[in-house]
Amino acid sequence: MVDGRARKTAGHRKPQSEWTVLLRDHHPGYIPWEQYARYQELIAANARMKSCMEPKAGRGGRALLSVLLRCRRCGRMLHVSYAGIRHAALRYHCQGAHLNHGESWCISFGGLRTDEAVAEEILHAIRGNAVEAALEAAERVRQQRLQEQKALELEIEQARYEVRRAAIRIEPSNENSAGDGL
């Protein structure tokens, strides 16, 4: 209340630990509570610009190290810019001091060789069974999704069947009641 009037403000979210009331499983949800909590943690971890030093989610593009590199001089996150045909050439650069204070850029370097070297090291680390395990896991996920889709299709077909049966049951009773009124 301000000057006797209710004033609504936004952006004052409380952490769940400070909530006065939380009625879990009060009504059926689309997903279980544990899954919801896990998703909320992932969303919070991937949020951009939460803090200057926290990890952020990548924003697309081909750069392998996007949002992962920081400037050694000022500690700001390195930005990525793309140039060339189909934006194939990339550069990492620190422009935080330039944007915020008008200073010169701290560092700028080409990203193709850097990303290639990191990718090579990653592939070296996961050689052998790790790739096969990842492919097998992807196939299992695909099979599970196919099963879920098939189950949904069967549920839809069952619902259509029940609608047809209900329509058949209703039709004769409508005709009898219409004939009684004449």
Side-chain angles (χ1 to χ4, degrees), residues 64-123:
L64 183 62
L65 303 173
S66 175
V67 305
L68 296 176
L69 297 179
R70 295 204 166 267
C71 178
R72 181 178 179 188
R73 183 173 150 219
C74 69
R76 290 182 175 92
M77 182 177 68
L78 295 184
H79 293 263
V80 181
S81 60
Y82 299 91
I85 299 171
R86 288 179 270 146
H87 304 287
L90 62 109
R91 289 193 73 72
Y92 293 103
H93 53 272
C94 177
Q95 62 182 12
H98 176 71
L99 292 175
N100 296 331
H101 308 292
E103 299 175 12
S104 61
W105 289 17
C106 294
I107 188 172
S108 177
F109 59 93
L112 291 177
R113 288 190 209 150
T114 306
D115 281 8
E116 186 178 309
V118 170
E120 193 173 308
E121 288 299 316
I122 290 171
L123 291 174

Side-chain angles (χ1 to χ4, degrees), residues 98-168:
H98 176 71
L99 292 175
N100 296 331
H101 308 292
E103 299 175 12
S104 61
W105 289 17
C106 294
I107 188 172
S108 177
F109 59 93
L112 291 177
R113 288 190 209 150
T114 306
D115 281 8
E116 186 178 309
V118 170
E120 193 173 308
E121 288 299 316
I122 290 171
L123 291 174
H124 179 71
I126 64 168
R127 69 181 180 272
N129 296 339
V131 174
E132 292 173 15
L135 291 173
E136 184 178 327
E139 178 60 25
R140 286 184 186 174
V141 168
R142 189 182 74 77
Q143 290 295 330
Q144 182 180 1
R145 287 186 180 153
L146 286 173
Q147 289 175 353
E148 290 171 357
Q149 182 179 359
K150 182 67 176 169
L152 288 172
E153 288 171 359
L154 289 173
E155 286 181 26
I156 290 170
E157 184 58 37
Q158 178 67 30
R160 287 180 180 150
Y161 172 78
E162 290 175 9
V163 166
R164 286 192 302 268
R165 296 271 300 155
I168 291 170

